[in-house]
Amino acid sequence: MSEFQQGGVKAAEQLFEQGRQQIGQVIAGQHEMVDQALLTLLCGGHALLEGVPGVAKTLAVKTLSRFLGLDFKRVQGTPDMMPADILGTSVFSPKTNEFSLHKGPVFTQFLLADEINRMPPRTQAALLESMEERQVTMDGEAHPLDEYFTVFATQNPLEFEGTYPLPEAQLDRFLLKIRVPYPTLAEERMVLERHHGSVAPKDLELTPIVAVDSAMLAEARREIRAVRVEPELFDYVLALVRRTREWPTITLGASPRASASLLLVAKALAAKEGRDFLIPDDVKDAARPVLRHRLVLRPEAELEGFDTDRVVADLLAATPVPK
């Protein structure tokens, strides 16, 4: 019997609470980013992190892996990166006269693909099978990945020279798009104080972190799947997603995969709040990170200053909420 309380959604609630506390020893603020990164793992998905350099995206993912007790590997996106740099390659051994798989960094539990939009399309596509099927096929043989395999990919929202924008098909593979803003004044002051008190910036990465019980992680996933959903809320999710396909400022709406993702993330948010049942506010809170990367706006809408978050807010306001 593990130490966490069982029953209801206790494991999920405790995991989020402990995650904020433990990761907060290294990351100043950024609670929304931390919560959404935890949501990504507990829902069994992948996340795209978007933010300017220096806002602790890499450090946050690395600290999260330490908190969860999971293996972590990082690859840096460059224009000359090849699929083998991520997946690995078959190496011939003269001793055995056979080929053996030299595993690449994808064979881990947490994979951070830094600046994924700097990878050429062929290399970006190499991640598709591993993200969707949790396996890598090489030389006709399938190699399974860990059940907790999660991709966190980062990209800079401002610098586009020498980059390869992710196609819609690959963007749809990401459960969430997490926007990482600049810290507040109080949070940035905390960053300075921590760096001032450290011998070197790397000391922050060595801050002791108490890892969670592996049983808590498995139980939290089970609890999220078991959150109750009333029939009216299925209709609410569908109404919201289907409305994106006919909205005047949108040229490409959300897919059926988006409907399933929205429901799953909303259930995880309910568990985070200590509830084993879904309410409309959970769906509303999940809508932005789930839909913002799945919608393509019309050029004239972008010229008028619209972005996907604003459009999602308009969609939520126009969709009747079940009583």
Side-chain angles (χ1 to χ4, degrees):
M1 178 71 68
S2 58
E3 295 180 358
F4 66 87
Q5 303 174 39
Q6 292 186 329
V9 289
K10 292 296 183 183
E13 190 179 8
Q14 289 181 38
L15 193 144
F16 277 101
E17 183 180 341
Q18 292 180 26
R20 275 197 173 188
Q21 180 183 11
Q22 293 295 321
I23 297 170
Q25 297 181 70
V26 178
I27 304 297
Q30 301 288 18
H31 298 307
E32 185 172 309
M33 173 181 67
V34 171
D35 285 350
Q36 291 182 6
L38 276 168
L39 284 171
T40 301
L41 178 87
L42 292 179
C43 292
H46 311 280
L48 182 64
L49 285 81
E50 186 176 86
V52 298
V55 290
K57 299 186 296 294
T58 301
L59 182 58
V61 175
K62 188 179 294 186
T63 306
L64 179 62
S65 69
R66 289 174 56 202
F67 166 65
L68 296 170
L70 302 177
D71 294 331
F72 170 87
K73 289 183 181 177
R74 173 183 177 272
V75 293
Q76 176 63 50
T78 59
D80 60 348
M81 178 175 278
M82 300 295 291
D85 295 328
I86 294 178
L87 305 180
T89 187
S90 295
V91 179
F92 181 75
S93 172
K95 291 184 179 180
T96 61
N97 204 34
E98 294 180 348
F99 284 93
S100 61
L101 175 63
H102 179 75
K103 293 183 177 180
V106 75
F107 288 91
T108 186
Q109 292 171 313
F110 263 44
L111 176 66
L112 178 65
D114 229 344
E115 295 187 287
I116 190 173
N117 55 339
R118 292 201 177 279
M119 299 178 185
R122 183 181 177 188
T123 307
Q124 292 174 1
L127 283 172
L128 282 175
E129 182 188 19
S130 60
M131 290 171 65
E132 188 69 16
E133 306 295 336
R134 279 186 168 76
Q135 69 176 23
V136 173
T137 302
M138 298 184 66
D139 299 327
E141 183 179 354
H143 303 274
L145 298 173
D146 190 90
E147 64 174 321
Y148 290 118
F149 173 71
T150 305
V151 173
F152 287 93
T154 71
Q155 64 180 17
N156 183 338
L158 300 176
E159 191 176 350
F160 297 107
E161 186 174 349
T163 64
Y164 305 88
L166 293 171
E168 284 74 19
Q170 187 154 350
L171 284 171
D172 200 36
R173 308 274 174 152
F174 289 99
L175 179 71
L176 300 180
K177 180 177 180 179
I178 305 172
R179 286 193 168 150
V180 188
Y182 284 116
T184 64
L185 176 61
E187 291 167 353
E188 195 162 1
R189 180 183 176 87
M190 192 183 301
V191 171
L192 288 179
E193 290 173 348
R194 289 179 178 178
H195 278 268
H196 172 68
S198 303
V199 177
K202 191 170 178 64
D203 290 349
L204 292 174
E205 299 182 24
L206 302 177
T207 302
I209 297 291
V210 179
V212 299
D213 186 338
S214 59
M216 180 188 287
L217 194 53
E219 179 67 10
R221 279 191 164 188
R222 187 201 64 77
E223 290 174 353
I224 287 170
R225 297 283 179 180
V227 168
R228 292 182 289 112
V229 182
E230 296 297 328
E232 295 81 3
L233 288 171
F234 287 116
D235 295 334
Y236 183 50
V237 169
L238 288 173
L240 181 60
V241 171
R242 293 180 68 85
R243 196 178 288 265
T244 67
R245 301 167 195 168
E246 55 191 29
W247 199 251
T249 57
I250 297 175
T251 185
L252 178 65
S255 68
R257 182 190 281 129
S259 303
S261 298
L262 182 57
L263 180 65
L264 180 57
V265 174
K267 289 166 66 175
L269 286 169
K272 170 179 171 287
E273 297 300 323
R275 283 182 280 101
D276 63 355
F277 58 90
L278 196 69
I279 63 174
D281 283 350
D282 298 322
V283 178
K284 292 179 180 180
D285 291 341
R288 285 184 179 84
V290 170
L291 297 178
R292 61 167 53 120
H293 58 297
R294 291 181 160 99
L295 307 179
V296 177
L297 302 187
R298 296 187 183 278
E300 55 269 27
E302 293 180 334
L303 289 173
E304 292 176 10
F306 283 82
D307 63 8
T308 51
D309 278 11
R310 179 178 169 183
V311 171
V312 171
D314 292 342
L315 285 162
L316 287 168
T319 305
V321 179
K323 302 296 183 181

mmCIF file of all heavy atoms in Angstrom, residues 275-317:
data_model
loop_
_atom_site.group_PDB
_atom_site.id
_atom_site.type_symbol
_atom_site.label_atom_id
_atom_site.label_comp_id
_atom_site.label_asym_id
_atom_site.label_seq_id
_atom_site.Cartn_x
_atom_site.Cartn_y
_atom_site.Cartn_z
ATOM 1 N N ARG A 275 -12.380 16.966 -7.741
ATOM 2 C CA ARG A 275 -13.722 16.508 -8.089
ATOM 3 C C ARG A 275 -13.650 15.261 -8.964
ATOM 4 O O ARG A 275 -12.783 15.190 -9.854
ATOM 5 C CB ARG A 275 -14.493 17.597 -8.834
ATOM 6 C CG ARG A 275 -15.022 18.705 -7.930
ATOM 7 C CD ARG A 275 -15.813 19.733 -8.724
ATOM 8 N NE ARG A 275 -14.940 20.682 -9.422
ATOM 9 C CZ ARG A 275 -14.640 20.631 -10.697
ATOM 10 N NH1 ARG A 275 -15.149 19.661 -11.449
ATOM 11 N NH2 ARG A 275 -13.847 21.522 -11.250
ATOM 12 N N ASP A 276 -14.555 14.316 -8.746
ATOM 13 C CA ASP A 276 -14.626 13.136 -9.603
ATOM 14 C C ASP A 276 -15.774 13.248 -10.604
ATOM 15 O O ASP A 276 -16.274 12.262 -11.120
ATOM 16 C CB ASP A 276 -14.764 11.855 -8.774
ATOM 17 C CG ASP A 276 -16.059 11.818 -7.964
ATOM 18 O OD1 ASP A 276 -16.797 12.833 -7.968
ATOM 19 O OD2 ASP A 276 -16.321 10.782 -7.333
ATOM 20 N N PHE A 277 -16.190 14.484 -10.879
ATOM 21 C CA PHE A 277 -17.232 14.737 -11.878
ATOM 22 C C PHE A 277 -16.882 16.012 -12.626
ATOM 23 O O PHE A 277 -16.205 16.907 -12.107
ATOM 24 C CB PHE A 277 -18.611 14.871 -11.223
ATOM 25 C CG PHE A 277 -18.694 15.961 -10.177
ATOM 26 C CD1 PHE A 277 -19.057 17.255 -10.516
ATOM 27 C CD2 PHE A 277 -18.380 15.684 -8.854
ATOM 28 C CE1 PHE A 277 -19.124 18.258 -9.560
ATOM 29 C CE2 PHE A 277 -18.440 16.683 -7.883
ATOM 30 C CZ PHE A 277 -18.810 17.969 -8.235
ATOM 31 N N LEU A 278 -17.347 16.091 -13.875
ATOM 32 C CA LEU A 278 -17.015 17.207 -14.759
ATOM 33 C C LEU A 278 -18.063 18.304 -14.648
ATOM 34 O O LEU A 278 -19.250 18.030 -14.488
ATOM 35 C CB LEU A 278 -16.947 16.699 -16.202
ATOM 36 C CG LEU A 278 -16.252 17.592 -17.232
ATOM 37 C CD1 LEU A 278 -14.767 17.662 -16.963
ATOM 38 C CD2 LEU A 278 -16.498 17.037 -18.651
ATOM 39 N N ILE A 279 -17.623 19.570 -14.748
ATOM 40 C CA ILE A 279 -18.528 20.710 -14.816
ATOM 41 C C ILE A 279 -18.142 21.560 -16.032
ATOM 42 O O ILE A 279 -17.016 21.428 -16.550
ATOM 43 C CB ILE A 279 -18.493 21.564 -13.526
ATOM 44 C CG1 ILE A 279 -17.101 22.170 -13.306
ATOM 45 C CG2 ILE A 279 -18.920 20.738 -12.314
ATOM 46 C CD1 ILE A 279 -17.034 23.147 -12.129
ATOM 47 N N PRO A 280 -19.029 22.424 -16.527
ATOM 48 C CA PRO A 280 -18.711 23.220 -17.722
ATOM 49 C C PRO A 280 -17.442 24.057 -17.590
ATOM 50 O O PRO A 280 -16.725 24.254 -18.576
ATOM 51 C CB PRO A 280 -19.954 24.112 -17.878
ATOM 52 C CG PRO A 280 -21.061 23.318 -17.271
ATOM 53 C CD PRO A 280 -20.443 22.598 -16.112
ATOM 54 N N ASP A 281 -17.144 24.563 -16.391
ATOM 55 C CA ASP A 281 -15.944 25.384 -16.214
ATOM 56 C C ASP A 281 -14.674 24.607 -16.525
ATOM 57 O O ASP A 281 -13.664 25.197 -16.944
ATOM 58 C CB ASP A 281 -15.877 25.936 -14.786
ATOM 59 C CG ASP A 281 -16.821 27.110 -14.581
ATOM 60 O OD1 ASP A 281 -17.373 27.604 -15.593
ATOM 61 O OD2 ASP A 281 -17.012 27.537 -13.420
ATOM 62 N N ASP A 282 -14.676 23.297 -16.307
ATOM 63 C CA ASP A 282 -13.506 22.482 -16.647
ATOM 64 C C ASP A 282 -13.269 22.512 -18.151
ATOM 65 O O ASP A 282 -12.125 22.618 -18.619
ATOM 66 C CB ASP A 282 -13.696 21.031 -16.181
ATOM 67 C CG ASP A 282 -13.848 20.915 -14.673
ATOM 68 O OD1 ASP A 282 -13.162 21.660 -13.949
ATOM 69 O OD2 ASP A 282 -14.658 20.078 -14.221
ATOM 70 N N VAL A 283 -14.343 22.406 -18.919
ATOM 71 C CA VAL A 283 -14.235 22.450 -20.378
ATOM 72 C C VAL A 283 -13.732 23.824 -20.823
ATOM 73 O O VAL A 283 -12.860 23.931 -21.697
ATOM 74 C CB VAL A 283 -15.588 22.137 -21.031
ATOM 75 C CG1 VAL A 283 -15.497 22.232 -22.558
ATOM 76 C CG2 VAL A 283 -16.075 20.751 -20.611
ATOM 77 N N LYS A 284 -14.250 24.883 -20.207
ATOM 78 C CA LYS A 284 -13.811 26.235 -20.559
ATOM 79 C C LYS A 284 -12.321 26.431 -20.275
ATOM 80 O O LYS A 284 -11.601 27.030 -21.076
ATOM 81 C CB LYS A 284 -14.632 27.269 -19.771
ATOM 82 C CG LYS A 284 -16.100 27.341 -20.160
ATOM 83 C CD LYS A 284 -16.831 28.383 -19.309
ATOM 84 C CE LYS A 284 -18.291 28.487 -19.680
ATOM 85 N NZ LYS A 284 -19.000 29.493 -18.853
ATOM 86 N N ASP A 285 -11.866 25.943 -19.119
ATOM 87 C CA ASP A 285 -10.456 26.103 -18.751
ATOM 88 C C ASP A 285 -9.536 25.300 -19.667
ATOM 89 O O ASP A 285 -8.377 25.685 -19.880
ATOM 90 C CB ASP A 285 -10.235 25.675 -17.300
ATOM 91 C CG ASP A 285 -10.885 26.616 -16.302
ATOM 92 O OD1 ASP A 285 -11.189 27.767 -16.686
ATOM 93 O OD2 ASP A 285 -11.092 26.210 -15.134
ATOM 94 N N ALA A 286 -10.044 24.194 -20.194
ATOM 95 C CA ALA A 286 -9.225 23.344 -21.062
ATOM 96 C C ALA A 286 -9.192 23.850 -22.500
ATOM 97 O O ALA A 286 -8.286 23.494 -23.265
ATOM 98 C CB ALA A 286 -9.746 21.906 -21.036
ATOM 99 N N ALA A 287 -10.161 24.686 -22.884
ATOM 100 C CA ALA A 287 -10.348 25.033 -24.293
ATOM 101 C C ALA A 287 -9.133 25.723 -24.907
ATOM 102 O O ALA A 287 -8.695 25.359 -26.013
ATOM 103 C CB ALA A 287 -11.588 25.912 -24.449
ATOM 104 N N ARG A 288 -8.559 26.720 -24.239
ATOM 105 C CA ARG A 288 -7.456 27.466 -24.847
ATOM 106 C C ARG A 288 -6.229 26.592 -25.119
ATOM 107 O O ARG A 288 -5.743 26.551 -26.256
ATOM 108 C CB ARG A 288 -7.095 28.691 -23.995
ATOM 109 C CG ARG A 288 -8.097 29.833 -24.107
ATOM 110 C CD ARG A 288 -7.624 31.056 -23.313
ATOM 111 N NE ARG A 288 -8.564 32.159 -23.424
ATOM 112 C CZ ARG A 288 -9.657 32.302 -22.662
ATOM 113 N NH1 ARG A 288 -9.925 31.385 -21.738
ATOM 114 N NH2 ARG A 288 -10.460 33.326 -22.822
ATOM 115 N N PRO A 289 -5.661 25.931 -24.110
ATOM 116 C CA PRO A 289 -4.455 25.132 -24.400
ATOM 117 C C PRO A 289 -4.704 23.962 -25.342
ATOM 118 O O PRO A 289 -3.786 23.539 -26.046
ATOM 119 C CB PRO A 289 -4.015 24.643 -23.016
ATOM 120 C CG PRO A 289 -5.205 24.754 -22.142
ATOM 121 C CD PRO A 289 -5.986 25.910 -22.674
ATOM 122 N N VAL A 290 -5.937 23.451 -25.401
ATOM 123 C CA VAL A 290 -6.227 22.317 -26.281
ATOM 124 C C VAL A 290 -6.467 22.774 -27.719
ATOM 125 O O VAL A 290 -6.060 22.093 -28.674
ATOM 126 C CB VAL A 290 -7.454 21.521 -25.764
ATOM 127 C CG1 VAL A 290 -7.907 20.496 -26.796
ATOM 128 C CG2 VAL A 290 -7.112 20.822 -24.461
ATOM 129 N N LEU A 291 -7.100 23.932 -27.913
ATOM 130 C CA LEU A 291 -7.526 24.350 -29.249
ATOM 131 C C LEU A 291 -6.608 25.363 -29.918
ATOM 132 O O LEU A 291 -6.636 25.479 -31.150
ATOM 133 C CB LEU A 291 -8.947 24.937 -29.179
ATOM 134 C CG LEU A 291 -10.062 23.993 -28.724
ATOM 135 C CD1 LEU A 291 -11.389 24.743 -28.663
ATOM 136 C CD2 LEU A 291 -10.176 22.798 -29.661
ATOM 137 N N ARG A 292 -5.801 26.076 -29.151
ATOM 138 C CA ARG A 292 -5.086 27.224 -29.732
ATOM 139 C C ARG A 292 -4.138 26.842 -30.872
ATOM 140 O O ARG A 292 -3.893 27.660 -31.769
ATOM 141 C CB ARG A 292 -4.310 27.984 -28.641
ATOM 142 C CG ARG A 292 -3.256 27.195 -27.925
ATOM 143 C CD ARG A 292 -2.330 28.090 -27.082
ATOM 144 N NE ARG A 292 -3.002 28.958 -26.155
ATOM 145 C CZ ARG A 292 -2.830 28.940 -24.824
ATOM 146 N NH1 ARG A 292 -2.021 28.017 -24.272
ATOM 147 N NH2 ARG A 292 -3.446 29.785 -24.058
ATOM 148 N N HIS A 293 -3.592 25.637 -30.886
ATOM 149 C CA HIS A 293 -2.676 25.240 -31.952
ATOM 150 C C HIS A 293 -3.368 24.439 -33.044
ATOM 151 O O HIS A 293 -2.732 24.057 -34.033
ATOM 152 C CB HIS A 293 -1.520 24.419 -31.375
ATOM 153 C CG HIS A 293 -1.945 23.189 -30.635
ATOM 154 N ND1 HIS A 293 -2.704 23.248 -29.489
ATOM 155 C CD2 HIS A 293 -1.718 21.871 -30.861
ATOM 156 C CE1 HIS A 293 -2.913 22.015 -29.053
ATOM 157 N NE2 HIS A 293 -2.347 21.170 -29.864
ATOM 158 N N ARG A 294 -4.668 24.185 -32.873
ATOM 159 C CA ARG A 294 -5.396 23.375 -33.844
ATOM 160 C C ARG A 294 -6.241 24.228 -34.786
ATOM 161 O O ARG A 294 -6.864 23.683 -35.700
ATOM 162 C CB ARG A 294 -6.298 22.382 -33.105
ATOM 163 C CG ARG A 294 -5.522 21.285 -32.370
ATOM 164 C CD ARG A 294 -6.486 20.334 -31.690
ATOM 165 N NE ARG A 294 -5.875 19.053 -31.387
ATOM 166 C CZ ARG A 294 -5.400 18.707 -30.196
ATOM 167 N NH1 ARG A 294 -5.471 19.557 -29.187
ATOM 168 N NH2 ARG A 294 -4.854 17.518 -30.006
ATOM 169 N N LEU A 295 -6.310 25.514 -34.554
ATOM 170 C CA LEU A 295 -7.125 26.405 -35.374
ATOM 171 C C LEU A 295 -6.235 27.226 -36.297
ATOM 172 O O LEU A 295 -5.192 27.737 -35.880
ATOM 173 C CB LEU A 295 -7.954 27.343 -34.489
ATOM 174 C CG LEU A 295 -8.825 26.686 -33.404
ATOM 175 C CD1 LEU A 295 -9.557 27.744 -32.616
ATOM 176 C CD2 LEU A 295 -9.795 25.679 -34.010
ATOM 177 N N VAL A 296 -6.662 27.361 -37.538
ATOM 178 C CA VAL A 296 -5.954 28.222 -38.494
ATOM 179 C C VAL A 296 -6.884 29.385 -38.827
ATOM 180 O O VAL A 296 -8.000 29.184 -39.319
ATOM 181 C CB VAL A 296 -5.584 27.449 -39.773
ATOM 182 C CG1 VAL A 296 -4.909 28.390 -40.779
ATOM 183 C CG2 VAL A 296 -4.655 26.282 -39.441
ATOM 184 N N LEU A 297 -6.409 30.599 -38.536
ATOM 185 C CA LEU A 297 -7.234 31.785 -38.752
ATOM 186 C C LEU A 297 -7.117 32.290 -40.186
ATOM 187 O O LEU A 297 -6.110 32.076 -40.859
ATOM 188 C CB LEU A 297 -6.818 32.897 -37.786
ATOM 189 C CG LEU A 297 -6.873 32.589 -36.293
ATOM 190 C CD1 LEU A 297 -6.584 33.850 -35.491
ATOM 191 C CD2 LEU A 297 -8.223 32.003 -35.887
ATOM 192 N N ARG A 298 -8.157 32.952 -40.619
ATOM 193 C CA ARG A 298 -8.112 33.594 -41.934
ATOM 194 C C ARG A 298 -7.112 34.755 -41.898
ATOM 195 O O ARG A 298 -6.979 35.436 -40.873
ATOM 196 C CB ARG A 298 -9.499 34.110 -42.315
ATOM 197 C CG ARG A 298 -10.531 33.001 -42.492
ATOM 198 C CD ARG A 298 -11.848 33.536 -43.026
ATOM 199 N NE ARG A 298 -12.841 32.469 -43.126
ATOM 200 C CZ ARG A 298 -12.916 31.606 -44.144
ATOM 201 N NH1 ARG A 298 -12.067 31.736 -45.158
ATOM 202 N NH2 ARG A 298 -13.829 30.659 -44.162
ATOM 203 N N PRO A 299 -6.400 35.007 -43.006
ATOM 204 C CA PRO A 299 -5.397 36.083 -43.028
ATOM 205 C C PRO A 299 -5.974 37.436 -42.616
ATOM 206 O O PRO A 299 -5.335 38.212 -41.899
ATOM 207 C CB PRO A 299 -4.908 36.096 -44.476
ATOM 208 C CG PRO A 299 -5.164 34.700 -44.969
ATOM 209 C CD PRO A 299 -6.412 34.254 -44.274
ATOM 210 N N GLU A 300 -7.207 37.721 -43.053
ATOM 211 C CA GLU A 300 -7.791 39.024 -42.722
ATOM 212 C C GLU A 300 -8.065 39.148 -41.219
ATOM 213 O O GLU A 300 -7.992 40.249 -40.658
ATOM 214 C CB GLU A 300 -9.076 39.265 -43.516
ATOM 215 C CG GLU A 300 -10.142 38.186 -43.379
ATOM 216 C CD GLU A 300 -10.035 37.091 -44.428
ATOM 217 O OE1 GLU A 300 -8.903 36.859 -44.929
ATOM 218 O OE2 GLU A 300 -11.068 36.486 -44.734
ATOM 219 N N ALA A 301 -8.352 38.023 -40.555
ATOM 220 C CA ALA A 301 -8.574 38.051 -39.107
ATOM 221 C C ALA A 301 -7.270 38.354 -38.371
ATOM 222 O O ALA A 301 -7.257 39.116 -37.400
ATOM 223 C CB ALA A 301 -9.152 36.723 -38.633
ATOM 224 N N GLU A 302 -6.170 37.781 -38.855
ATOM 225 C CA GLU A 302 -4.877 38.046 -38.231
ATOM 226 C C GLU A 302 -4.468 39.509 -38.432
ATOM 227 O O GLU A 302 -3.880 40.132 -37.539
ATOM 228 C CB GLU A 302 -3.818 37.111 -38.800
ATOM 229 C CG GLU A 302 -4.058 35.642 -38.426
ATOM 230 C CD GLU A 302 -3.002 34.724 -39.003
ATOM 231 O OE1 GLU A 302 -2.423 35.089 -40.041
ATOM 232 O OE2 GLU A 302 -2.763 33.656 -38.417
ATOM 233 N N LEU A 303 -4.795 40.055 -39.608
ATOM 234 C CA LEU A 303 -4.478 41.464 -39.866
ATOM 235 C C LEU A 303 -5.261 42.389 -38.941
ATOM 236 O O LEU A 303 -4.805 43.490 -38.613
ATOM 237 C CB LEU A 303 -4.768 41.810 -41.329
ATOM 238 C CG LEU A 303 -3.806 41.217 -42.375
ATOM 239 C CD1 LEU A 303 -4.306 41.499 -43.784
ATOM 240 C CD2 LEU A 303 -2.398 41.798 -42.186
ATOM 241 N N GLU A 304 -6.434 41.961 -38.530
ATOM 242 C CA GLU A 304 -7.251 42.763 -37.620
ATOM 243 C C GLU A 304 -6.851 42.574 -36.154
ATOM 244 O O GLU A 304 -7.484 43.145 -35.267
ATOM 245 C CB GLU A 304 -8.727 42.389 -37.799
ATOM 246 C CG GLU A 304 -9.294 42.804 -39.152
ATOM 247 C CD GLU A 304 -10.729 42.332 -39.340
ATOM 248 O OE1 GLU A 304 -11.324 41.858 -38.343
ATOM 249 O OE2 GLU A 304 -11.247 42.432 -40.464
ATOM 250 N N GLY A 305 -5.802 41.772 -35.908
ATOM 251 C CA GLY A 305 -5.295 41.618 -34.546
ATOM 252 C C GLY A 305 -5.848 40.433 -33.783
ATOM 253 O O GLY A 305 -5.594 40.297 -32.583
ATOM 254 N N PHE A 306 -6.580 39.549 -34.461
ATOM 255 C CA PHE A 306 -7.083 38.353 -33.794
ATOM 256 C C PHE A 306 -5.963 37.348 -33.600
ATOM 257 O O PHE A 306 -5.062 37.236 -34.438
ATOM 258 C CB PHE A 306 -8.207 37.695 -34.622
ATOM 259 C CG PHE A 306 -9.538 38.384 -34.518
ATOM 260 C CD1 PHE A 306 -9.810 39.510 -35.288
ATOM 261 C CD2 PHE A 306 -10.525 37.909 -33.670
ATOM 262 C CE1 PHE A 306 -11.040 40.146 -35.210
ATOM 263 C CE2 PHE A 306 -11.762 38.548 -33.581
ATOM 264 C CZ PHE A 306 -12.018 39.665 -34.349
ATOM 265 N N ASP A 307 -6.013 36.606 -32.488
ATOM 266 C CA ASP A 307 -5.193 35.421 -32.336
ATOM 267 C C ASP A 307 -6.107 34.286 -31.888
ATOM 268 O O ASP A 307 -7.295 34.493 -31.632
ATOM 269 C CB ASP A 307 -4.031 35.639 -31.360
ATOM 270 C CG ASP A 307 -4.495 35.947 -29.935
ATOM 271 O OD1 ASP A 307 -5.708 35.842 -29.654
ATOM 272 O OD2 ASP A 307 -3.650 36.298 -29.099
ATOM 273 N N THR A 308 -5.572 33.075 -31.820
ATOM 274 C CA THR A 308 -6.442 31.926 -31.542
ATOM 275 C C THR A 308 -7.048 31.982 -30.145
ATOM 276 O O THR A 308 -8.182 31.552 -29.946
ATOM 277 C CB THR A 308 -5.673 30.610 -31.732
ATOM 278 O OG1 THR A 308 -4.445 30.654 -30.996
ATOM 279 C CG2 THR A 308 -5.370 30.363 -33.199
ATOM 280 N N ASP A 309 -6.319 32.526 -29.176
ATOM 281 C CA ASP A 309 -6.881 32.632 -27.832
ATOM 282 C C ASP A 309 -8.111 33.535 -27.814
ATOM 283 O O ASP A 309 -9.103 33.242 -27.140
ATOM 284 C CB ASP A 309 -5.828 33.159 -26.852
ATOM 285 C CG ASP A 309 -4.895 32.060 -26.354
ATOM 286 O OD1 ASP A 309 -4.934 30.950 -26.920
ATOM 287 O OD2 ASP A 309 -4.125 32.305 -25.411
ATOM 288 N N ARG A 310 -8.037 34.624 -28.551
ATOM 289 C CA ARG A 310 -9.187 35.538 -28.603
ATOM 290 C C ARG A 310 -10.373 34.867 -29.299
ATOM 291 O O ARG A 310 -11.528 35.015 -28.873
ATOM 292 C CB ARG A 310 -8.799 36.823 -29.345
ATOM 293 C CG ARG A 310 -9.941 37.822 -29.469
ATOM 294 C CD ARG A 310 -9.494 39.090 -30.152
ATOM 295 N NE ARG A 310 -10.631 39.939 -30.499
ATOM 296 C CZ ARG A 310 -10.531 41.091 -31.158
ATOM 297 N NH1 ARG A 310 -9.334 41.525 -31.534
ATOM 298 N NH2 ARG A 310 -11.602 41.803 -31.444
ATOM 299 N N VAL A 311 -10.090 34.110 -30.365
ATOM 300 C CA VAL A 311 -11.158 33.427 -31.084
ATOM 301 C C VAL A 311 -11.800 32.352 -30.201
ATOM 302 O O VAL A 311 -13.027 32.198 -30.189
ATOM 303 C CB VAL A 311 -10.610 32.807 -32.391
ATOM 304 C CG1 VAL A 311 -11.653 31.906 -33.035
ATOM 305 C CG2 VAL A 311 -10.195 33.902 -33.357
ATOM 306 N N VAL A 312 -10.980 31.615 -29.437
ATOM 307 C CA VAL A 312 -11.527 30.598 -28.527
ATOM 308 C C VAL A 312 -12.422 31.264 -27.482
ATOM 309 O O VAL A 312 -13.489 30.737 -27.131
ATOM 310 C CB VAL A 312 -10.395 29.791 -27.857
ATOM 311 C CG1 VAL A 312 -10.963 28.891 -26.752
ATOM 312 C CG2 VAL A 312 -9.676 28.940 -28.887
ATOM 313 N N ALA A 313 -12.002 32.440 -26.977
ATOM 314 C CA ALA A 313 -12.830 33.163 -26.007
ATOM 315 C C ALA A 313 -14.175 33.542 -26.630
ATOM 316 O O ALA A 313 -15.236 33.426 -25.981
ATOM 317 C CB ALA A 313 -12.100 34.411 -25.523
ATOM 318 N N ASP A 314 -14.164 33.964 -27.902
ATOM 319 C CA ASP A 314 -15.413 34.300 -28.592
ATOM 320 C C ASP A 314 -16.286 33.056 -28.780
ATOM 321 O O ASP A 314 -17.518 33.117 -28.638
ATOM 322 C CB ASP A 314 -15.107 34.929 -29.957
ATOM 323 C CG ASP A 314 -14.460 36.307 -29.840
ATOM 324 O OD1 ASP A 314 -14.558 36.904 -28.745
ATOM 325 O OD2 ASP A 314 -13.859 36.762 -30.828
ATOM 326 N N LEU A 315 -15.648 31.926 -29.094
ATOM 327 C CA LEU A 315 -16.385 30.678 -29.272
ATOM 328 C C LEU A 315 -17.063 30.254 -27.967
ATOM 329 O O LEU A 315 -18.211 29.817 -27.961
ATOM 330 C CB LEU A 315 -15.442 29.578 -29.746
ATOM 331 C CG LEU A 315 -14.993 29.645 -31.207
ATOM 332 C CD1 LEU A 315 -13.746 28.795 -31.411
ATOM 333 C CD2 LEU A 315 -16.108 29.169 -32.131
ATOM 334 N N LEU A 316 -16.330 30.386 -26.866
ATOM 335 C CA LEU A 316 -16.892 30.020 -25.566
ATOM 336 C C LEU A 316 -18.090 30.912 -25.217
ATOM 337 O O LEU A 316 -19.098 30.439 -24.686
ATOM 338 C CB LEU A 316 -15.821 30.139 -24.477
ATOM 339 C CG LEU A 316 -14.738 29.067 -24.475
ATOM 340 C CD1 LEU A 316 -13.594 29.465 -23.538
ATOM 341 C CD2 LEU A 316 -15.303 27.717 -24.067
ATOM 342 N N ALA A 317 -17.969 32.203 -25.539
ATOM 343 C CA ALA A 317 -19.060 33.120 -25.240
ATOM 344 C C ALA A 317 -20.290 32.835 -26.086
ATOM 345 O O ALA A 317 -21.423 33.096 -25.664
ATOM 346 C CB ALA A 317 -18.587 34.566 -25.469
#
